[in-house]
Amino acid sequence: ESIQPERSFKSSDLSVRLAAPHQLQPKPDVSALTFGKYFTDHMLKVFYYESLGGWQAPEITPFENLVLHPAAKVLHYAVELFEGMKAYRGIDGKIRIFRPELNMERMNTSAIRSGLPTFNGNELIKCLNRLISIDQEWVPHSEASSLYIRPTLIGIDPTLGVAASDSALLYVILCPVGTYFKNSSKEVGVSLLADPRYTRAWPGGCGDRKMGSNYAPTIHVQREAAEKGLQQVLWLYGYDNQLTEVGTMNIFMFYLNENGERELVTPPLNGLILPGVTRNSILALGRELKQFKVSERKITMDEVHRLILENRLLELFGAGTACIVSPISFIDYAGQGLHIPTLEQPEPIYKMFLKCLSDIQYGYITDHPWALPI
Ligand code: PMP
């Protein structure tokens, strides 16, 4: 199976039904932006019906509830996938989306794994641009905030068979969100629970696809971490306790290698890891800089432990759309506390990456190919 961009809806068929003045919601104060709690006034919907020739015309409508048949496949077999990306209001007032074509590609690969229909990513980006420009006042006028974009694709066939869904709904909702670091002077590292009893992905599974079914089973483990006073879960895999991801972020390690060189390393895309857009961007920036070695390879807990003992571990950080870059300061590994010196480095590279990325996102670097103006 492959992506079939020719069997797609078209942005030229997009229709718009605007919310009536009384339906418009007040915009929340940017300082009070809880992630994913406030939604903009409009949404995008595209239905797919096999019996009607596939994708229907895309429509922008007021933000509203969905009506689903109780047997809809999404509600029983988690026939669902989603994406997460952001639009930023730049210092020049222009709104830019960060590398949306990579999210479109990932969304289509998730669709194939879920038996859901694929589409032309450029057409969805064009529809999205229209949606964001209609709700543009919701893109925060603040460099501590952005507009989170949540494209979602669900199987809505009203039949209980475990089979491909002949009908689907692709929709997009938008939320203004704050950044992880509200104030860099108060920056603290995250603490992690690394419990070898749990894993989130395995070879032949679908941990490398952004399907809702990957996330529900993580909630219980995340709660266990919180009960221990830890903020995130460090996901391990295999008898050698490989580090795979941290919470909903990819993981990076910066260390002094056997030759005494500085090296940035992240686990490879071997099926156990979501191919993060932030991960891809950090690897590209790191390679372009040529200031340290950059590699994609397995990292194990034994190695982390040894590097700490030998004072060779410099930084560990998570990378993802939600908080961009998140320094790690502590790991509870099967009851043993490991202190990670990320925040003690005089010029940490995680901060350098955070600055590079936000300079692109907020338009300090103009016309960068990774920042698509709407
Ligand atoms: N890993 C997982 C499990 C995730 O859910 C995410 C968030 N999409 C990421 C990594 C980071 O990916 P991205 O940089 O594309 O947000």
Side-chain angles (χ1 to χ4, degrees), residues 68-69 142 146 199 206 259 263 287-288 304 323 365 371:
L68 296 177
H69 190 283
S142 150
S146 55
T199 195
C206 44
N259 306 322
E263 182 168 341
R287 285 177 177 136
E288 200 178 305
V304 169
C323 57
I365 299 171

Side-chain angles (χ1 to χ4, degrees), residues 23-309:
Q23 292 176 306
L24 301 179
Q25 295 297 313
K27 297 179 184 62
D29 187 49
V30 283
S31 62
L33 291 176
T34 309
F35 180 81
K37 183 169 170 194
Y38 302 98
F39 296 93
T40 69
D41 293 318
H42 296 88
M43 65 192 291
L44 173 76
K45 298 190 194 102
V46 198
F47 283 92
Y48 177 97
Y49 295 108
E50 196 75 52
S51 59
L52 298 176
W55 287 109
Q56 306 296 296
E59 42 182 344
I60 287 172
T61 70
F63 188 93
E64 60 194 7
N65 290 340
L66 300 176
V67 177
L68 296 177
H69 190 283
K73 292 206 196 298
V74 57
L75 302 176
H76 299 269
Y77 312 122
V79 183
E80 193 267 3
L81 60 99
F82 63 101
E83 267 306 322
M85 52 198 196
K86 280 179 173 173
Y88 301 84
R89 187 182 298 277
I91 41 159
D92 53 1
K94 275 195 205 158
I95 297 168
R96 296 175 177 83
I97 314 183
F98 189 71
R99 309 190 76 184
E101 65 289 350
L102 293 185
N103 297 86
M104 295 298 105
E105 212 179 295
R106 191 168 68 187
M107 193 168 177
N108 270 314
T109 53
S110 300
I112 290 171
R113 191 67 164 88
S114 313
L116 286 167
T118 60
F119 56 90
N120 182 328
N122 286 329
E123 297 298 324
L124 184 56
I125 292 172
K126 283 190 233 162
C127 295
L128 247 177
N129 284 351
R130 184 77 185 281
L131 176 67
I132 296 169
S133 54
I134 289 172
D135 279 342
Q136 58 183 282
E137 269 321 301
W138 285 88
V139 184
H141 289 260
S142 150
E143 238 180 88
S145 321
S146 55
L147 187 75
Y148 184 79
I149 305 167
R150 171 53 63 89
T152 311
L153 179 54
I154 59 177
I156 58 172
D157 251 24
T159 52
L160 289 176
V162 180
S165 191
D166 287 338
S167 51
L169 171 62
L170 192 172
Y171 64 92
V172 183
I173 51 179
L174 309 171
C175 317
V177 295
T179 54
Y180 200 79
F181 306 113
K182 289 210 170 63
N183 179 342
S184 60
S185 66
K186 273 195 259 158
E187 193 175 282
V188 284
V190 292
S191 54
L192 310 179
L193 172 66
D195 187 333
R197 290 178 304 154
Y198 297 112
T199 195
R200 76 170 277 288
W202 44 88
C206 44
D208 56 348
R209 299 290 176 256
K210 209 162 165 60
M211 293 158 42
S213 53
N214 284 335
Y215 294 82
T218 66
I219 293 168
H220 167 74
V221 189
Q222 175 62 36
R223 185 185 286 159
E224 242 182 68
E227 278 165 7
K228 295 190 153 111
L230 303 161
Q231 289 156 307
Q232 295 281 337
V233 176
L234 175 58
W235 294 103
L236 303 177
Y237 170 76
Y239 65 92
D240 54 354
N241 293 325
Q242 298 162 38
L243 288 74
T244 60
E245 308 208 58
V246 45
T248 58
M249 293 180 282
N250 292 115
I251 191 161
F252 282 85
M253 178 169 84
F254 192 52
Y255 77 114
L256 295 172
N257 69 18
E258 310 274 279
N259 306 322
E261 305 159 326
R262 298 186 312 157
E263 182 168 341
L264 178 68
V265 48
T266 194
L269 300 180
N270 56 4
L272 302 177
I273 282 155
L274 195 81
V277 176
T278 320
R279 174 188 181 280
N280 175 300
S281 307
I282 288 176
L283 286 173
L285 289 171
R287 285 177 177 136
E288 200 178 305
L289 278 172
K290 296 190 170 61
Q291 289 176 6
F292 40 80
K293 233 184 127 176
V294 177
S295 33
E296 294 170 69
R297 63 153 174 88
K298 186 163 99 172
I299 308 170
T300 64
M301 282 309 297
D302 272 355
E303 181 184 8
V304 169
H305 205 192
R306 184 163 43 81
L307 291 174
I308 294 173
L309 292 177

Side-chain angles (χ1 to χ4, degrees), residues 319-335:
T321 298
C323 57
I324 313 299
V325 178
S326 180
I328 295 162
S329 55
F330 182 82
I331 305 174
D332 177 324
Y333 176 44

Side-chain angles (χ1 to χ4, degrees), residues 344-363:
E344 287 130 54
Q345 306 304 321
E347 281 181 58
I349 62 154
Y350 82 84
K351 265 196 177 162
M352 186 266 301
F353 285 125
L354 188 59
K355 178 164 188 325
C356 283
L357 291 168
S358 59
D359 283 354
I360 296 169
Q361 290 158 343
Y362 290 97

